[in-house]
Amino acid sequence: MLSLTIILIPIFLFISGASSHQIRINNAERRIDLSTHIVKVFLTLKVENTGKTSASEILLAFPPTQVDHLAFLEALAATGKKKKKTYVSLAVKPTQLPDAPNETNYYTIVLANPLNTGETATLEILYILTHSLEPFPVEISQSESQLVYYRDSALILSPYHIKQQTTFIKIPSNKVESFTRVEPTDRAGNELKYGPYEDRPPYSYSPLLVHFENNNPFSVVEELVREVEISHWGNLQITEQYKLAHAGARHKGIFSRVDYQSKPAFSGVSSFKHLLARLPPRVHSVYYRDEIGNISTSHLRADSWKISELEIEPRYPLFGGWRATFVIGYGLPLEDFLFESSDGRRYLNFTFGCPLVETVVDKLTIKVVLPEGAKGPSAVVPFPVEQRLETKYSYLDVVGRTVVVLEKKNVVPVHNIPFQLYYTFKPIFMLAEPLMLASAFFLFFTACVAYLHVDLSIRK
Amino acid sequence: MVGKTESQNGAVKATAAPAMNLESDLFSNFSFKSFKLKTKQQELLLRVSILGLVYILAFITRLFSVLRYESMIHEFDPYFNYRTTLFLTEKGFYEFWNWFDSESWYPLGRIIGGTLYPGLMVTAAFIYWTLRFLRFAVHIREVCVLTAPFFASNTTVVAYFFGKEIWDSGAGLVAAAFIAICPGYISRSVAGSYDNEGVAIFALLLTFYLFVKAVNTGSLAWALASAFGYFYMVSAWGGYVFIINLIPLYVLVLLITGRYSMRLYVAYNCMYVLGMLLAMQIRFVGFQHVQSGEHMAAMGVFFLMQVFYFLDWVKYMLSDTKLFQAFLRITVTSAIAVGALALGVGTASGYISPWTGRFYSLLDPTYAKDNIPIIASVSEHQPTAWSSFMFDFHILLFLFPAGLYFCFKKLSDATIFIVMYGLTSMYFAGVMVRLILVATPAVCLISAIAVSATIKNLTSLLRTKSKTAVAGSSKGTGGSKASSKASFDQSQPFQKNGAIALLLGAFYLLSKYATHCTWVTSEAYSSPSIVLAARGAHGNRVIFDDYREAYFWLRQNTPPDAKVMSWWDYGYQITAMGNRTVIVDNNTWNNTHIATVGRAMSSYEDEAYEIMRSLDVDYVLVVFGGVTGYSSDDINKFLWMVRIGGGVFPVIKEPDYLVNGDYRVDKGAAPKMLNCL
């Protein structure tokens, strides 16, 4: 009993001292964008320190259902008045609190300047949720359009007292089947407004369900392996293996090609026929194929100075629940991506993420194949990823190439930012393979010459 | 375009080879003194470089399909071969050998290891493993696609040596050039046509060459090599039956014509005994090799050889001719009696199985039509039309008789062989379209003899003239032919001009042949038949990829244990590309099963449903080409379904589906036709 109190007391002190009660949110505005299958939430918080000590951390709370689908979280501190606003990016890290009600998960935003008593700050928070729209009905036929549920809370879940809050939900069209009313609730066109709600205590929660039409392609890449092979002879070869699925309402009944082609407006509206991939400029030798051969339906708009666009069509239009696997490969000029740093090391500057537009990647693996003989690889990625090393044998390899593997789950288009990979490489290794080939041919011809000139017969 | 010009150049160059060969020693007399290359070395260099060019030509002319379409496997059977090769490379040989495939012939399954010729797969896997060992990171599909062209190139080399063996090295070079671009062979060996035939023609020609070599030299080593060649052939293709019947026939002909020799005895016995033992290692052949009717000829000739040898020996031992005559009579009658008795007893007791339907249909073209609709339904089993002979052989068709003439003029063991090979295979080619392939090497070789001999005669005619002008510095090379022509010389005044005109004509014909071959290859034989290409209204290429679309959908979006019913043509493709279980496929080993599917397809829907339930079918794949005007869809094949179904289940009658004896698919079609599945 005594020991228990000894443990409990410091925890209690920590909680009461550090957070909850000394911070108050004066105004919270939340905008939820449901127009695609990637849910984007913009949260603006006006925070005030009402406690006695200065606070340097703000906590964000998420219900457990959302935390699993949270793909991206970014916090900016806004300073200055309107028009002259400047934003400073803030560090965000996941935190565990021992007394979290209902398994609430927390993220801590570390403020750039500690908030003194009585001061206020404005935080702009963007977070992205994937797989948060649940199709209902679960199965639809070809002629129906796709309806989905979105579940959230009308009140912002927060460990702090919120004085005033409003939530706006933007949906792709005017077609709303139903939505929960938590007065005051208002609907204008394709926007729902919840609030304003005054003076809600910490951890208030009020379930919210919106049932609406969303026919945007629910394209989900279940697994994407991008292999980037560096050749110091001037080429960067990229091979991307996709496992694509339509994560929307499952297709029911038969598929009629005739209907699909003759009445595109009424038939298979939730299916998608083509996808757009944004590839880097100066891309060349693009191919698009799968296990059984080339897929002839793709168009490339290549450009020498801006992003090239590759429009690909899977072999068949993808309906809900259907899958397709394919491979896209292309070459890029090395000088656009490989540079030499000041300490003599080389580094590759390449985009993380998936080139397909508006696509969620459940599991992304990037494999950077360094040239044979490269040493000491180290990757610099702006967000946490899993890293490991592998060895790969390609054409005429003797010792094998070092492969740096970067893995990340739940990747959204916001993750398409460059990462760097440093390594050291001696140019002499470039000559190893040509020399090997040349000597092999030389030996072959020597053997031929020797055979023609030397009499090997035993008899004289 | 590049391939086209190059192939023409190559062909012309190669056909000009004999002429160049002959001229080379002329050249050496005048200008190449400083080089100090001996004539022989020069000739070797020329020959090797021409052969090298032909080798490359044979390979690249088969790449049209890759350029036009892509690096993919063609048609139907190659997909099965590809699938098994994939299995072999992934799981290893032992697993492959014992593979029971539950994905095809659904309720029955198929023992793959015991029912296929593994030669092709093992070859491709071996090439793949070698390349992998040398650190070439190739995909097994590329290896499979390029296996056929690679072996076609090898065939040209064998053709050269064969030609050299039966005639001379000039004929060999011409034969190599001919076979490199002959459409009859290209049709089965373009890149992507990953079928047994691609490897088998190489093995066939190799076996024949080695056997002829063995007969010519009497060497045990060559006979051994030919036994191994035969083993490879058996492992690669069912067409080995042709070898095991042709060689005994040839031996028999030699025996009858009194050309029996010790060389023949050594070659045939070694080849037969070893070849038989080796062939029995292939599980698909096994004891058939000593039991089935198709192989009996070889065994009979083997025993006949022993009798011959024995008689020879007795003749040598007995000095009395009268005694020998009596002995001969007794031995021959008793040998024939014993042979006939053994055959009769064997057949009656079922130990020797009778000839199979395919073999019958070869000997009697009308047999299949009456008795086995499933064989007759395959388009490549139809009798050959004249046009397709012309299409596949072009001028070789006319050169063939000329070559036969030359062969008869200079009869030897080797030329007898090629004549027999040519005549028998030409007959079979007439019976079945697909056997044009077997005839192609023979036709090429015999035509090469014609071309080579003609051009050699003509050029030597020209040369004797020019040589007298140069004042006979090179006397020895011309030899007997030149002197024989010299007497001929005086009689015809316009001989030189005539020779030049004939030469030009020959070159014109040969260049026509080269153009024809290139055209045929690029237009007719390079289509993968999975992907269809057509010219759109504006001259742009439209690609129909619907087959693969369907197969890929099956692969991705059906449960992994789904069973797909389709007509048997698509069986292999569904298992290979769709990775799903099929009811019947292109290995048509169970006629009843196919008939069941045919019945299901041609019954009323409710009956069909019952049948399909009993087969546990989840999906049905039918092909309809009405929208795009694709002619070989399931409606077109429907009558065969009816016929094959009716062959086993008399419920189905062909007349029910016809209107006044016509086959109609529109409104006026027979009611049963319209209401079936």
Side-chain angles (χ1 to χ4, degrees):
Chain A
M1 194 63 213
L2 188 72
S3 61
L4 196 68
T5 29
I6 290 171
I7 298 168
L8 274 178
I9 288 166
I11 292 173
F12 188 70
L13 283 177
F14 168 73
I15 293 166
S16 56
S19 59
S20 293
H21 303 296
Q22 69 173 27
I23 299 231
R24 192 180 67 193
I25 297 173
N26 287 339
N27 188 11
E29 188 188 281
R30 184 169 59 156
R31 289 182 179 276
I32 303 175
D33 184 358
L34 299 180
S35 50
T36 63
H37 70 298
I38 301 171
V39 178
K40 299 186 195 75
V41 184
F42 302 93
L43 190 63
T44 313
L45 299 177
K46 288 211 170 69
V47 189
E48 186 185 353
N49 188 354
T50 53
K52 309 221 163 35
T53 51
S54 66
S56 60
E57 289 177 337
I58 306 286
L59 284 176
L60 282 179
F62 290 97
T65 47
Q66 281 192 349
V67 130
D68 296 338
H69 298 144
L70 186 71
F72 181 78
L73 175 61
E74 181 192 46
L76 302 169
T79 50
K81 295 277 172 251
K82 286 183 179 179
K83 301 228 169 163
K84 282 188 214 160
K85 266 187 183 171
T86 50
Y87 291 100
V88 184
S89 180
L90 300 176
V92 181
K93 57 179 194 245
T95 317
Q96 294 292 325
L97 286 192
D99 69 335
N102 293 333
E103 297 169 36
T104 311
N105 285 273
Y106 297 94
Y107 280 82
T108 308
I109 301 172
V110 184
L111 294 175
N113 306 312
L115 208 59
N116 292 325
T117 313
E119 277 184 348
T120 58
T122 308
L123 297 177
E124 298 270 355
I125 294 149
L126 164 68
Y127 62 90
I128 292 175
L129 302 171
T130 57
H131 297 287
S132 297
L133 299 182
E134 179 197 334
F136 190 87
V138 180
E139 288 187 333
I140 54 171
S141 71
Q142 194 180 342
S143 57
E144 292 174 272
S145 64
Q146 176 174 271
L147 300 172
V148 292
Y149 278 144
Y150 175 71
R151 294 168 205 275
D152 204 338
S153 163
L155 301 169
I156 298 169
L157 186 71
S158 170
Y160 308 119
H161 183 88
I162 305 178
K163 240 178 136 183
Q164 192 189 42
Q165 59 178 310
T166 327
T167 295
F168 297 95
I169 298 180
K170 191 184 159 205
I171 48 180
S173 67
N174 289 334
K175 289 178 189 151
V176 181
E177 289 284 304
S178 68
F179 57 96
T180 317
R181 289 194 165 270
V182 184
E183 292 306 335
T185 304
D186 193 21
R187 182 189 159 191
N190 60 352
E191 197 168 70
L192 301 173
K193 184 183 174 191
Y194 284 87
Y197 306 114
E198 308 281 342
D199 281 322
R200 299 287 166 158
Y203 301 112
S204 14
Y205 195 85
S206 159
L208 156 77
L209 183 70
V210 190
H211 192 200
F212 61 101
E213 186 191 77
N214 189 340
N215 281 326
N216 281 305
F218 277 43
S219 56
V220 172
V221 179
E222 293 177 333
E223 199 178 340
L224 169 61
V225 180
R226 301 182 82 196
E227 195 179 270
V228 182
E229 196 166 337
I230 302 170
S231 160
H232 276 257
W233 290 94
N235 191 33
L236 199 65
Q237 182 64 39
I238 291 127
T239 315
E240 296 169 349
Q241 291 172 343
Y242 290 87
K243 275 188 193 154
L244 183 73
H246 188 301
R250 278 204 304 280
H251 181 65
K252 177 177 72 178
I254 61 155
F255 163 57
S256 163
R257 164 77 66 177
V258 178
D259 280 352
Y260 185 75
Q261 285 190 337
S262 59
K263 296 179 278 189
F266 305 104
S267 178
V269 274
S270 69
S271 70
F272 55 95
K273 218 177 155 181
H274 50 78
L275 296 162
L276 195 67
R278 296 232 161 89
L279 305 180
R282 298 218 280 161
V283 65
H284 63 86
S285 348
V286 182
Y287 65 85
Y288 169 46
R289 57 174 300 139
D290 58 24
E291 288 119 307
I292 61 171
N294 179 49
I295 308 172
S296 50
T297 44
S298 60
H299 307 281
L300 176 71
R301 285 183 289 274
D303 215 312
S304 56
W305 48 277
K306 66 173 198 224
I307 298 292
S308 315
E309 285 187 337
L310 174 71
E311 191 185 279
I312 54 177
E313 281 178 33
R315 287 191 188 274
Y316 38 83
L318 278 180
F319 279 84
W322 289 10
R323 278 154 220 288
T325 56
F326 55 88
V327 180
I328 299 177
Y330 46 93
L332 292 168
L334 190 70
E335 63 265 26
D336 295 0
F337 298 95
L338 194 75
F339 308 96
E340 204 165 341
S341 67
S342 50
D343 58 352
R345 290 195 298 170
R346 283 151 214 277
Y347 69 94
L348 173 81
N349 189 28
F350 198 70
T351 316
F352 200 88
C354 164
L356 291 182
V357 175
E358 282 297 322
T359 304
V360 174
V361 183
D362 287 348
K363 187 184 172 198
L364 172 67
T365 311
I366 294 196
K367 294 183 173 182
V368 183
V369 184
L370 300 175
E372 205 176 17
K375 286 194 182 67
S378 68
V380 181
V381 191
F383 31 79
V385 289
E386 275 179 47
Q387 288 191 25
R388 62 171 196 276
L389 291 180
E390 278 178 3
T391 310
K392 184 195 170 185
Y393 292 92
S394 184
Y395 288 94
L396 300 172
D397 283 355
V398 180
V399 292
R401 306 179 184 206
T402 314
V403 182
V404 183
V405 184
L406 309 173
E407 269 184 7
K408 178 157 173 56
K409 293 209 163 74
N410 221 351
V411 179
V412 284
V414 209
H415 286 117
N416 288 2
I417 40 179
F419 69 96
Q420 288 78 35
L421 183 78
Y422 291 87
Y423 64 93
T424 52
F425 180 72
K426 290 201 185 72
I428 191 78
F429 282 112
M430 281 165 71
L431 293 176
E433 284 166 9
L435 281 179
M436 250 164 67
L437 270 185
S439 49
F441 273 101
F442 179 73
L443 282 178
F444 174 70
F445 286 125
T446 322
C448 284
V449 169
Y451 175 75
L452 286 180
H453 282 266
V454 179
D455 189 6
L456 288 173
S457 62
I458 303 167
R459 244 175 273 157
K460 280 287 163 195
Chain B
M1 272 295 121
V2 174
K4 192 168 182 173
T5 49
E6 220 164 342
S7 64
Q8 280 175 15
N9 287 343
V12 171
K13 213 175 241 176
T15 44
M20 281 157 82
N21 270 345
L22 295 171
E23 274 156 354
S24 67
D25 46 0
L26 265 185
F27 262 93
S28 67
N29 284 329
F30 313 135
S31 53
F32 283 101
K33 284 264 157 65
S34 54
F35 260 108
K36 302 234 166 163
L37 266 177
K38 285 176 218 143
T39 321
K40 218 178 158 190
Q41 281 178 331
Q42 272 184 28
E43 204 201 328
L44 182 77
L45 186 68
L46 261 178
R47 235 187 299 151
V48 166
S49 52
I50 289 168
L51 209 56
L53 279 177
V54 170
Y55 192 87
I56 295 166
L57 166 74
F59 192 81
I60 58 174
T61 193
R62 284 166 170 79
L63 297 185
F64 269 116
S65 60
V66 175
L67 294 181
R68 287 277 160 85
Y69 297 90
E70 57 178 284
S71 167
M72 65 183 290
I73 309 282
H74 294 187
E75 312 225 346
F76 304 105
D77 286 13
Y79 269 98
F80 169 74
N81 299 332
Y82 174 58
R83 176 165 159 252
T84 46
T85 313
L86 208 63
F87 187 89
L88 172 61
T89 50
E90 278 167 7
K91 301 271 173 71
F93 187 74
Y94 194 73
E95 283 277 306
F96 172 69
W97 205 230
N98 295 313
W99 182 17
F100 177 79
D101 179 25
S102 53
E103 280 198 6
S104 51
W105 295 94
Y106 164 58
L108 311 170
R110 177 182 172 189
I111 307 156
I112 297 277
T115 56
L116 92 173
Y117 295 102
L120 179 71
M121 298 88 191
V122 173
T123 310
F126 183 72
I127 296 173
Y128 174 69
W129 285 326
T130 314
L131 286 175
R132 279 275 155 166
F133 176 74
L134 293 175
R135 292 269 184 273
F136 287 97
V138 289
H139 191 270
I140 181 69
R141 186 188 55 245
E142 317 298 337
V143 176
C144 292
V145 164
L146 296 181
T147 299
F150 174 63
F151 271 88
S153 293
N154 293 342
T155 311
T156 62
V157 177
V158 178
Y160 164 71
F161 283 109
F162 203 178
K164 195 179 164 192
E165 192 62 35
I166 52 177
W167 202 258
D168 57 10
S169 59
L173 281 177
V174 181
F178 274 160
I179 206 162
I181 54 171
C182 185
Y185 184 27
I186 283 182
S187 67
R188 290 321 190 92
S189 62
V190 289
S193 150
Y194 178 58
D195 212 345
N196 291 335
E197 286 94 328
V199 174
I201 291 303
F202 165 76
L204 179 90
L205 207 59
L206 185 70
T207 313
F208 283 155
Y209 161 64
L210 291 171
F211 184 71
V212 168
K213 185 95 181 169
V215 171
N216 275 352
T217 56
S219 146
L220 205 57
W222 287 111
L224 190 70
S226 106
F228 275 101
Y230 176 64
F231 171 57
Y232 186 57
M233 176 69 189
V234 175
S235 75
W237 194 35
Y240 77 89
V241 177
F242 179 63
I243 297 187
I244 204 63
N245 282 301
L246 178 65
I247 287 184
L249 194 66
Y250 164 64
V251 172
L252 200 65
V253 167
L254 285 192
L255 291 183
I256 291 168
T257 50
R259 283 174 169 268
Y260 168 78
S261 64
M262 210 49 206
R263 291 176 284 119
L264 185 67
Y265 184 81
V266 169
Y268 182 71
N269 284 344
C270 174
M271 190 264 163
Y272 176 67
V273 174
L274 270 175
M276 176 181 72
L277 288 177
L278 286 171
M280 282 164 74
Q281 308 308 311
I282 306 295
R283 275 173 65 194
F284 194 26
V285 178
F287 276 94
Q288 266 183 37
H289 207 284
V290 285
Q291 287 186 350
S292 88
E294 291 108 341
H295 302 84
M296 277 306 121
M299 193 179 268
V301 169
F302 174 69
F303 286 120
L304 198 66
M305 285 290 269
Q306 311 313 318
V307 172
F308 236 84
Y309 184 72
F310 179 67
L311 286 177
D312 227 32
W313 179 71
V314 170
K315 192 179 179 184
Y316 171 72
M317 295 300 278
L318 288 177
S319 44
D320 192 355
T321 40
K322 215 173 184 183
L323 206 61
F324 176 71
Q325 289 290 333
F327 182 76
L328 183 71
R329 219 168 294 139
I330 295 166
T331 332
V332 168
T333 30
S334 58
I336 290 172
V338 167
L341 196 71
L343 198 67
V345 169
T347 321
S349 64
Y351 186 72
I352 298 171
S353 61
W355 289 351
T356 58
R358 277 167 206 254
F359 200 71
Y360 265 123
S361 62
L362 266 186
L363 298 179
D364 176 12
T366 53
Y367 177 78
K369 211 166 219 171
D370 303 334
N371 297 299
I372 325 167
I374 194 137
I375 291 181
S377 79
V378 183
S379 63
E380 59 187 18
H381 289 170
Q382 306 298 326
T384 317
W386 270 108
S387 59
S388 63
F389 267 122
M390 193 60 204
F391 198 63
D392 279 356
F393 290 140
H394 201 240
I395 58 159
L396 300 189
L397 207 56
F398 306 113
L399 291 174
F400 181 67
L404 285 182
Y405 163 75
F406 279 108
C407 286
F408 274 114
K409 229 174 110 184
K410 196 178 122 183
L411 269 186
S412 69
D413 288 356
T415 45
I416 289 179
F417 180 82
I418 195 69
V419 165
M420 290 197 51
Y421 175 27
L423 290 178
T424 47
S425 62
M426 265 315 239
Y427 171 72
F428 291 133
V431 174
M432 260 193 206
V433 177
R434 68 187 293 198
L435 291 181
I436 283 190
L437 180 72
V438 177
T440 306
V443 173
C444 286
L445 279 164
I446 293 175
S447 314
I449 290 173
V451 170
S452 172
T454 315
I455 291 180
K456 202 167 189 175
N457 286 348
L458 290 175
T459 43
S460 67
L461 252 173
L462 287 179
R463 257 178 61 223
T464 42
K465 286 259 181 179
S466 58
K467 254 185 206 161
T468 44
V470 176
S473 58
S474 57
K475 236 181 215 169
T477 48
S480 57
K481 221 168 248 170
S483 58
S484 68
K485 292 287 164 197
S487 58
F488 196 54
D489 215 9
Q490 273 86 47
S491 57
Q492 286 181 325
F494 300 112
Q495 199 180 35
K496 194 180 171 185
N497 294 336
I500 289 174
L502 279 175
L503 263 184
L504 286 178
F507 284 133
Y508 174 73
L509 273 182
L510 291 177
S511 61
K512 273 282 156 205
Y513 171 70
T515 357
H516 170 80
C517 290
T518 322
W519 175 79
V520 168
T521 313
S522 81
E523 294 296 321
Y525 287 142
S526 292
S527 163
S529 89
I530 291 278
V531 184
L532 311 163
R535 297 270 163 205
H538 307 289
N540 51 338
R541 241 160 70 104
V542 182
I543 289 182
F544 299 112
D545 207 357
D546 293 356
Y547 273 116
R548 287 197 294 181
E549 181 182 320
Y551 296 140
F552 203 63
W553 185 87
L554 281 175
R555 186 191 188 102
Q556 297 285 328
N557 299 306
T558 54
D561 59 345
K563 286 98 195 165
V564 182
M565 186 179 97
S566 69
W567 192 232
W568 59 265
D569 301 31
Y570 313 109
Y572 278 164
Q573 291 177 352
I574 292 174
T575 39
M577 286 199 273
N579 199 13
R580 292 293 174 265
T581 307
V582 292
I583 307 295
V584 290
D585 67 23
N586 307 39
N587 181 275
T588 49
W589 64 273
N590 190 332
N591 198 15
T592 321
H593 212 53
I594 291 180
T596 315
V597 173
R599 185 183 174 185
M601 292 273 190
S602 50
S603 312
Y604 294 116
E605 263 185 45
D606 47 346
E607 291 169 25
Y609 185 74
E610 287 292 305
I611 298 170
M612 286 187 212
R613 290 300 301 177
S614 68
L615 288 174
D616 207 5
V617 172
D618 296 315
Y619 293 85
V620 178
L621 183 129
V622 286
V623 177
F624 176 63
V627 178
T628 51
Y630 176 59
S631 61
S632 44
D633 60 355
D634 276 355
I635 299 210
N636 212 351
K637 291 171 182 164
F638 187 74
L639 270 192
W640 286 113
M641 297 183 199
V642 174
R643 268 176 218 159
I644 292 171
V648 176
F649 303 104
V651 193
I652 301 167
K653 294 181 193 70
E654 195 176 330
D656 289 349
Y657 299 89
L658 302 175
V659 182
N660 306 329
D662 284 336
Y663 179 56
R664 294 182 66 171
V665 292
D666 54 4
K667 265 186 212 152
K672 183 143 190 183
M673 165 82 205
L674 288 175
N675 290 321
C676 72
L677 190 67

